[in-house]
Amino acid sequence: MESFAVSRQDVLDQVSGIDAGKYARTRNFTDGGTQISPYLTRGLVTLPEVRDIILERHTPSQAYKFVFELAWREYWQREWTFLGDRIFGDVKRPQHPVSSRRMPRAVLDAEIGVDALDAAVRGLYDTGYMHNHERMWLAGLTCNLGRTHWWEPAQWLYYHLLDGDPASNSLSWQWVAGTNSHKKYVPAQQNINKYSPLRQHGTIVDHGYGVLADMAVPDVLTERADLDLSWSPPPSDAVAVDPAKPTLLYHSFWLNAAWRSDVDANRVVLLEPSWFARFPVSPMVTDYLVRCAREIPGAQVVVAEFDDLSLGDDVTFMAHPSVPHWRGHADEMPRMFPRVPEKSYASFTSFWKQCERTG
Ligand SMILES: Cc1cc2nc3c(=O)[nH]c(=O)nc-3n(C[C@H](O)[C@H](O)[C@H](O)COP(=O)(O)OP(=O)(O)OC[C@H]3O[C@@H](n4cnc5c(N)ncnc54)[C@H](O)[C@@H]3O)c2cc1C
């Protein structure tokens, strides 16, 4: 896998090259994703921008599946905005059964014995990316076969993902674990063999779905490990704010080099230790964030708390659930479906129906 882009132009070029028809046919295969998730999570580009680029080059029916998948992201973002911190607990019903809240050691060490899953974990550590299907298989194995509560495994995955997004991550784990869906997701070797090149037989998941749903925790998943996730802050620039100019404030989910680019402003990318103490990310993710931040012309990258800074009265930032305490003018996060009411939807299906109806 090539490394992920940090410049907005490279990202736009990559998005322009997406073949939405091919994507629709291949997205479930482990080499089938577009790998644009870090760019969307970090705000290098927005959902409506990506949708519009795709629609310039495809008919609506060719683009349908891709836009449908983008809508999942918008759905989870809206749920976070509406439900707030409730998304970090079991949202609809408690997970059951749960034997442990701690990670199976075999998952952390990529020693599950299912080659496709072990390769996915190693790939995550090497690149900061994992394909959607691999995320589902791993989450299903950990939560449902391993009977592990979803929270700690979700934090582990989030820590390593360049696209780590608290809403997409927590709510997807919960979708798999059944706390945010009606049915739990379990991985089966026959499904893995269909979508991954690493085919195998005789593994712990080489059973029919009925057996997998009720089987005892496989021995390899019973040993638990302690997670030690903490954030190492990057070097901080000294804050130098010209009081005669407005200040544009960026966060780790909004590193958009084109935002208000016509304004003569102080530009400060603020990385708050209190946020990263709650949601730690790996050194690889931190390095990616800083490299993206450095693409914003004139930006200072500052490690500090908002409340400890004096940024003047003219502060503008992009509204986001991770910065409810920031004061100033908040721009609205661009939506693909701005006419669809902002509220919590019972399911993605009910949200998507509204999107199709309202356009
Ligand atoms: C357990 C689990 C954890 C996840 N954690 C995250 C996370 O932390 N951050 C994150 O961005 N996504 C997360 N996802 C959703 C999804 O796996 C990724 O968005 C996707 O794999 C990113 O790869 P891609 O860009 O190649 O996706 P593509 O298939 O090419 O899709 C294009 C874009 O659509 C959006 N998208 C597609 N599928 C989903 C989905 N199911 N949910 C939300 N958005 C979607 C993403 O922004 C993605 O970049 C998680 C899914 C699972 C099952």
Side-chain angles (χ1 to χ4, degrees):
M1 180 187 303
E2 287 175 25
S3 62
F4 285 88
V6 292
S7 102
R8 194 174 136 83
Q9 192 52 54
D10 288 348
V11 169
L12 293 173
D13 290 346
Q14 197 172 316
V15 172
S16 301
I18 292 173
D19 176 342
K22 183 172 172 215
Y23 171 81
R25 293 188 300 278
T26 60
R27 92 169 277 269
N28 285 333
F29 291 88
T30 52
D31 58 357
T34 61
Q35 304 190 1
I36 62 167
S37 47
Y39 316 142
L40 284 164
T41 290
R42 302 298 163 201
L44 272 57
V45 280
T46 66
L47 283 171
E49 274 181 322
V50 171
R51 185 258 327 263
D52 293 347
I53 293 171
I54 296 300
L55 283 174
E56 273 169 23
R57 292 165 169 74
H58 299 83
T59 63
S61 70
Q62 286 170 332
Y64 183 90
K65 179 67 177 162
F66 185 69
V67 175
F68 176 88
E69 296 302 337
L70 292 178
W72 269 100
R73 178 176 169 82
E74 180 152 321
Y75 173 60
W76 294 139
Q77 294 304 303
R78 284 166 176 253
E79 290 300 299
W80 188 14
T81 304
F82 191 80
L83 297 174
D85 281 0
R86 276 183 282 166
I87 70 164
F88 304 127
D90 297 358
V91 279
K92 287 189 180 144
R93 59 191 67 79
Q95 186 178 338
H96 180 77
V98 171
S99 307
S100 176
R101 298 186 70 88
R102 294 160 71 223
M103 284 286 291
R105 187 201 57 77
V107 175
L108 287 181
D109 292 348
E111 289 177 356
I112 302 161
V114 179
D115 292 347
L117 301 194
D118 290 334
V121 173
R122 287 194 300 271
L124 172 72
Y125 294 154
D126 286 348
T127 65
Y129 176 81
M130 187 185 283
H131 184 271
N132 180 62
H133 222 152
E134 295 170 333
R135 298 182 199 204
M136 289 170 63
W137 292 330
L138 261 176
L141 176 110
T142 306
C143 297
N144 300 331
L145 264 59
R147 299 191 180 176
T148 315
H149 188 265
W150 62 270
W151 171 249
E152 204 172 292
Q155 286 220 305
W156 161 77
L157 183 62
Y158 176 90
Y159 178 84
H160 292 286
L161 285 172
L162 297 184
D163 69 27
D165 177 275
S168 291
N169 189 53
S170 290
L171 292 168
S172 297
W173 276 89
Q174 298 209 51
W175 184 88
V176 168
T179 59
N180 190 25
S181 58
H182 291 294
K183 205 170 162 225
K184 295 178 186 194
Y185 179 87
V186 284
Q189 190 67 53
Q190 62 182 55
N191 183 261
I192 295 171
N193 287 349
K194 181 170 173 191
Y195 291 108
S196 157
L198 297 173
R199 300 191 176 90
Q200 253 181 311
H201 291 287
T203 67
I204 54 167
V205 291
D206 199 6
H207 302 284
Y209 284 105
V211 172
L212 289 166
D214 286 328
M215 71 193 227
V217 177
D219 285 347
V220 69
L221 300 179
T222 54
E223 189 190 337
R224 306 286 165 166
D226 288 324
L227 279 186
D228 182 18
L229 305 179
S230 59
W231 185 56
S232 301
S236 175
D237 292 343
V239 203
V241 169
D242 178 349
K245 292 183 188 174
T247 297
L248 297 176
L249 202 53
Y250 300 73
H251 46 71
S252 60
F253 301 102
W254 186 251
L255 298 170
N256 191 305
W259 179 51
R260 292 176 173 258
S261 56
D262 53 338
V263 181
D264 182 18
N266 305 297
R267 293 174 192 272
V268 177
V269 176
L270 187 57
L271 304 178
E272 291 185 289
S274 56
W275 169 261
F276 290 98
R278 232 181 129 201
F279 293 98
V281 295
S282 71
M284 186 194 291
V285 175
T286 303
D287 175 66
Y288 182 69
L289 292 177
V290 172
R291 287 190 294 119
C292 292
R294 295 280 175 221
E295 292 288 321
I296 300 168
Q300 305 162 47
V301 181
V302 174
V303 180
E305 299 298 330
F306 177 89
D307 289 334
D308 294 338
L309 294 179
S310 302
L311 297 171
D313 295 331
D314 192 354
V315 174
T316 299
F317 60 92
M318 182 56 70
H320 192 265
S322 65
V323 292
H325 55 297
W326 285 13
R327 293 179 304 280
H329 170 80
D331 278 357
E332 271 182 36
M333 185 63 87
R335 298 284 197 215
M336 284 201 298
F337 301 101
R339 291 200 294 275
V340 172
E342 293 282 337
K343 62 179 185 118
S344 179
Y345 290 82
S347 65
F348 174 76
T349 308
S350 58
F351 170 67
W352 180 244
K353 273 190 195 144
Q354 283 274 338
C355 299
E356 291 203 292
R357 214 173 291 143
T358 325

